[in-house]
Amino acid sequence: MSQHKSNPLMIIVSSPSGAGKTSVCKKILEDDKNLRISISDTTRQPRDNEVEGKDYNFISINEFKQNIKNDLYIEYAKVFNNYYGSQRKNILNYFNEGKDVLFDIDWQGAQQLKNSNLSYILSIFIIP
């Protein structure tokens, strides 16, 4: 039986590109079984070691822009000419399951979440 938490926590790990936020997030996920990672949509091409639906959801620029118009993202950013965004419905589904959510995102997306009306946010910025 799952225990519903009334105040789920959003943990944001952000940094400049290449600072190691993904490695930090993987370690945090190993240590906390109540935590789920937000899998971002992106318009960039997958790297050789990345898996669709596990590392990112790889979508077209047109689809991403349509998602922006439809207000589907809780946060999004354009980084090095590619878009990245976290779909609101996925985050709310985790919250409804009583899970905390970990975000491995760029500083722009982190700022959007911190400026939102959402509560219970822990933000960690990694400096290279």
Side-chain angles (χ1 to χ4, degrees):
M1 177 178 262
S2 69
Q3 181 179 359
H4 182 71
K5 290 172 46 176
S6 60
N7 300 314
L9 179 65
M10 293 173 43
I11 302 169
I12 303 166
V13 177
S14 61
S15 72
S17 182
K21 64 183 172 289
T22 300
S23 297
V24 169
C25 286
K26 285 181 181 178
K27 183 62 179 159
I28 292 170
L29 286 166
E30 287 175 11
D31 292 341
D32 187 343
K33 300 305 177 200
N34 193 53
L35 193 58
R36 297 295 178 262
I37 187 78
S38 171
I39 300 171
S40 298
D41 290 353
T42 184
T43 59
R44 76 162 171 73
Q45 292 299 307
R47 297 179 183 134
D48 289 342
N49 61 337
E50 292 176 328
V51 176
E52 165 72 29
K54 180 177 180 282
D55 297 297
Y56 288 96
N57 299 310
F58 298 97
I59 65 174
S60 71
I61 290 174
N62 288 338
E63 185 178 355
F64 199 101
K65 287 182 177 180
Q66 188 62 46
N67 288 350
I68 292 171
K69 284 182 186 176
N70 292 332
D71 195 32
L72 298 185
Y73 294 113
I74 197 166
E75 63 79 25
Y76 70 91
K78 188 173 184 184
V79 182
F80 301 121
N81 292 319
N82 293 300
Y83 287 95
Y84 297 83
S86 304
Q87 286 207 26
R88 180 176 284 103
K89 69 175 182 176
N90 297 337
I91 306 312
L92 295 178
N93 285 341
Y94 288 143
F95 288 170
N96 288 334
E97 294 171 4
K99 304 297 181 186
D100 297 325
V101 181
L102 179 65
F103 292 83
D104 172 355
I105 57 178
D106 178 82
W107 67 269
Q108 298 170 75
Q111 195 63 44
Q112 289 174 42
L113 290 175
K114 288 190 285 188
N115 290 337
S116 73
N117 61 356
L118 300 167
S119 306
Y120 305 102
I121 297 173
L122 170 64
S123 181
I124 302 164
F125 185 76
I126 299 173
I127 299 172

